[in-house]
Amino acid sequence: MKKPALAAALAVLVLPTLAAAGGPIERACLRSDRQAANRATCNCIQQVADMTLRSGDQKRAAKFFADPDEAQEVRFSSRSSDEAFWLRYKSFGEAAQAYCGG
């Protein structure tokens, strides 16, 4: 009887913290120096990322906010894994632009 109550209490304390932390794309977006980077826009972009990118892809794409040159390296890479990632990333970008505007 005490274990379910403890689990429920922990969920009430932990879940809002996890939700506030956001995903890797949202966190990178908020840390970026882009003028349009605000909580609503970054959260929207993260929602699209959650729908279109795998977890590993999100972490990789988040690095592009701090180092846009890395994105260009991936874009022009001849490695098949980079090409596949770039196609997923490009689809994500198009969806984010359509869904989040801008």
Side-chain angles (χ1 to χ4, degrees):
M1 194 69 124
K2 289 183 180 187
K3 285 185 181 181
L6 179 60
L10 286 174
V12 168
L13 294 172
V14 172
L15 289 178
T17 304
L18 292 176
I25 299 285
E26 182 178 4
R27 288 190 305 269
C29 177
L30 288 170
R31 284 191 305 262
S32 75
D33 59 357
R34 289 169 177 79
Q35 197 170 26
N38 60 58
R39 185 158 300 281
T41 300
C42 294
N43 181 269
C44 181
I45 294 168
Q46 179 63 55
Q47 288 177 19
V48 175
D50 289 341
M51 292 185 284
T52 60
L53 294 175
R54 300 181 295 217
S55 176
D57 287 347
Q58 288 186 33
K59 291 175 187 173
R60 188 174 186 188
K63 295 176 184 178
F64 296 165
F65 282 87
D67 186 4
D69 291 335
E70 186 173 340
Q72 291 305 309
E73 288 177 27
V74 172
R75 180 179 180 197
F76 294 109
S77 171
S78 60
R79 292 178 44 202
S80 61
S81 60
D82 286 343
E83 291 175 23
F85 167 77
W86 189 257
L87 290 175
R88 293 189 302 273
Y89 178 74
K90 185 177 175 185
S91 293
F92 152 70
E94 291 168 354
Q97 186 170 15
Y99 186 70
C100 304

